[in-house]
């Protein structure tokens, strides 16, 4: 009830992620599926259809979600299915990321499209899931997705989010390139000089343990506004939201495996998705669209105010019309407010770590915290999920 009737989507996104962190994966899946339905329903209704958003501000319309938030629903849903061991369902969610991003960007003019148009982590995750499914066809699909993920990291994420291709991705590409494309393998081996990898025949005899780490806090919105006087003496206000990144003092995570004979293996997590920077860049792209709508809304208010002032001056005199102009300016400033709603349970980043070990029994630690004991077989991939905020 605290979210209000206009924030049902926001509630379901928060609720779905909290349920996931509580390991209630089935309930989380239901919440995210309902969130998808609401987002897609609101997506088909232009925000211009909500009359109150033109009279007052966007807070009077149902929360429609940021473009990147819709994509994150798919990514977290894919994680839900992986944690349940339902890999084919996870692939469906990860594949839907590309089509959803294409559909979203198709609605915008060429000069107003989002920087966030492809998701490298979704591609990397798809490759990992295909590998976990096993079989030569799935391995080939994994190789294709790994190469696509590397291309997005190298050409897009590096420039826009200062995020280089992770070592984990390079290792997995080299493993499969050696099998599927010898010429490409030789080029990549030179390009990734210093990257060690496990050949596929050896990897099949071993086990893999992955940690997905939701790290830090997502950025928070605040209002940025400009007051503009008109020649007639009215005061108009232009307000739009802007993200502020929330820095964290957290150290990068480290996973450790300790075998029954006390052998220890460890590796640090790597950033694979900077949700905070994606959010900031996406909102910056939307600023032109914000300003256009705010301009139309301010112009509409101004025309209405002029008409009313003319009637007041005619019936009650110039002084009363001037008072109305003053009150109208106060109304313009008070009513024009940026929509500061956002998905606040989102992490700032997604990090991943992976260890390749002999089959057997292990204790699993994250930053020296014991997360559990388990037994793992050859060719098996085991996934853990951990949230860190401070």
């Amino acid at each position: 009830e605290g979210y209000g009737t206009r924030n049902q989507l926001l509630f379901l996104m928060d609720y779905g992620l909290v349920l996931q962190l509580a390991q209630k994966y089935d309930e989380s899946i239901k919440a995210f599926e309902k969130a998808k339905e609401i987002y897609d329903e609101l997506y088909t209704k232009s925000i211009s259809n909500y009359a109150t958003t033109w009279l007052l501000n966007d807070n009077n319309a149902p929360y429609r979600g940021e473009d990147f938030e819709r994509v994150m629903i798919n990514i977290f849903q894919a994680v839900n299915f992986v944690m349940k061991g339902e890999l084919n369902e996870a692939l469906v969610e990860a594949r839907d990321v590309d089509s959803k991003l294409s559909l979203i960007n198709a609605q915008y003019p060429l000069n107003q499209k989002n920087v966030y148009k492809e998701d490298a982590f979704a591609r990397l995750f798809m490759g990992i899931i295909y590998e976990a499914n096993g079989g030569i066809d799935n391995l080939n699909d994994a190789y294709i997705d790994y190469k696509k993920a590397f291309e997005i990291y190298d050409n897009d994420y590096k420039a826009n989010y200062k995020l280089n291709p992770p070592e984990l991705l390079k290792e997995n590409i080299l493993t499969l390139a050696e099998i599927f494309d010898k010429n490409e393998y030789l080029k990549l081996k030179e390009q990734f000089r210093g990257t060690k990898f496990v050949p596929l025949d050896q990897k099949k005899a071993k086990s893999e343990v992955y940690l997905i780490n939701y790290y830090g806090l997502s950025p928070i919105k605040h209002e940025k506004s400009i007051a503009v006087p008109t020649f007639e003496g009215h005061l108009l206000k232009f307000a739009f939201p802007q993200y502020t990144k929330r820095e964290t003092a957290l150290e990068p995570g480290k996973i450790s495996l300790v075998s029954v004979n006390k052998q220890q293996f460890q590796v640090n997590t790597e950033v694979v998705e900077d949700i905070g920077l994606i959010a900031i860049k996406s909102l910056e792209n939307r600023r032109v669209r914000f300003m256009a709508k705010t301009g139309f809304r301010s112009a509409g208010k101004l025309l209405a105010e002029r008409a009313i002032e003319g009637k007041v001056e005619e019936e009650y005199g110039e002084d009363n019309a001037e008072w109305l102009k003053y009150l109208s300016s106060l109304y313009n400033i008070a009513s024009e407010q940026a929509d500061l709603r956002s998905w606040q349970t989102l992490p700032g980043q997604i990090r991943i770590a992976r260890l390749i070990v002999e089959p057997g029994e292990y204790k699993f630690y994250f930053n020296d915290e014991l997360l559990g004991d388990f037994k793992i077989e050859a060719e098996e991939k085991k996934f853990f999920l951990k949230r860190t905020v401070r």
Side-chain angles (χ1 to χ4, degrees), residues 11 13 33 36 48 65 81 89 100 149 162 170 173 175 198 202 207 229 238 248 275 279-280 310 314 322 373 390:
F11 164 73
M13 294 191 300
E33 285 304 312
K36 282 189 205 174
S48 61
F81 284 117
E89 288 80 0
K100 190 57 63 179
K162 299 181 175 61
K170 296 177 187 177
I173 290 178
T175 295
V198 179
Q202 297 178 32
S207 312
F238 295 85
T248 179
I275 296 173
I280 290 167
E314 186 177 317
E322 283 298 316
D373 301 86
R390 60 176 182 271

Side-chain angles (χ1 to χ4, degrees), residues 32-276:
F32 281 138
E33 285 304 312
K34 183 63 178 175
K36 282 189 205 174
E37 289 175 17
I38 292 173
Y39 182 98
D40 294 343
E41 180 185 341
L42 292 172
Y43 177 82
T44 60
K45 297 177 182 177
S46 169
I47 201 165
S48 61
N49 291 335
Y50 295 103
T52 53
T53 69
W54 291 96
L55 295 172
L56 297 171
N57 53 64
D58 291 340
N59 289 290
N60 289 274
Y63 183 68
R64 304 172 75 234
E66 297 289 348
D67 293 342
F68 81 92
E69 289 176 346
R70 175 60 181 86
V71 177
M72 290 299 145
I73 294 174
N74 281 104
I75 288 176
F76 292 124
Q77 197 72 302
V79 172
N80 271 331
F81 284 117
V82 163
M83 298 308 295
K84 281 170 55 68
E86 298 176 6
L87 301 182
N88 288 330
E89 288 80 0
L91 280 171
V92 171
E93 295 295 331
R95 284 194 204 103
D96 197 37
V97 167
D98 270 357
S99 59
K100 190 57 63 179
L101 279 168
S102 297
L103 185 63
I104 287 169
N105 269 299
Q107 69 177 316
Y108 302 131
L110 285 174
N111 62 337
Q112 293 182 23
K113 293 188 183 296
N114 292 329
V115 167
Y116 179 51
K117 56 187 180 295
E118 292 184 291
D119 195 287
F121 169 61
R123 285 286 187 172
L124 167 58
F125 202 39
M126 282 170 64
I128 292 170
I129 298 166
Y130 273 123
E131 266 204 82
N133 262 331
I136 193 67
D137 289 340
N138 283 323
L139 289 175
N140 185 59
D141 288 337
Y143 178 52
I144 292 168
D145 279 319
Y146 287 147
K147 287 199 299 180
K148 181 62 176 176
F150 182 84
E151 178 187 318
I152 300 169
Y153 277 116
D154 202 41
N155 297 330
D156 185 342
Y157 275 39
K158 187 190 295 185
N160 292 312
Y161 315 118
K162 299 181 175 61
L163 187 54
N164 290 313
E167 282 298 306
L168 164 67
L169 174 58
K170 296 177 187 177
E171 293 168 15
N172 287 358
I173 290 178
L174 286 170
T175 295
L176 296 180
E178 189 179 25
I179 300 298
F180 291 110
D181 193 337
K182 289 289 186 182
N183 292 330
E184 184 70 10
Y185 165 71
L186 293 174
K187 288 192 291 183
L188 290 173
K189 194 175 179 183
E190 179 65 23
Q191 184 179 352
F192 302 161
R193 191 181 302 174
T195 298
K196 297 179 181 179
F197 72 99
V198 179
L200 187 60
D201 57 344
Q202 297 178 32
K203 198 173 182 182
K204 284 184 175 181
K206 295 183 181 291
S207 312
E208 294 180 68
V209 180
Y210 281 89
L211 176 82
I212 302 167
N213 176 210
Y214 298 162
Y215 174 93
L217 298 167
S218 60
I220 193 165
K221 286 178 181 173
H222 68 271
E223 180 176 291
K224 191 165 186 179
S225 61
I226 305 167
V228 180
T230 67
F231 290 114
E232 297 90 348
H234 292 90
L235 196 60
L236 301 178
K237 179 183 173 185
F238 295 85
F240 51 90
Q242 185 167 301
Y243 273 119
T244 300
K245 191 170 184 179
R246 292 191 281 182
E247 301 296 340
T248 179
L250 288 169
E251 292 294 321
K254 175 184 68 178
I255 64 169
S256 305
L257 288 175
V258 180
S259 67
V260 289
N261 60 1
K262 304 304 180 185
Q263 279 187 295
Q264 185 168 340
F265 311 87
Q266 63 181 41
V267 68
N268 290 334
T269 60
E270 300 181 87
V271 183
V272 291
E273 187 91 300
D274 196 323
I275 296 173

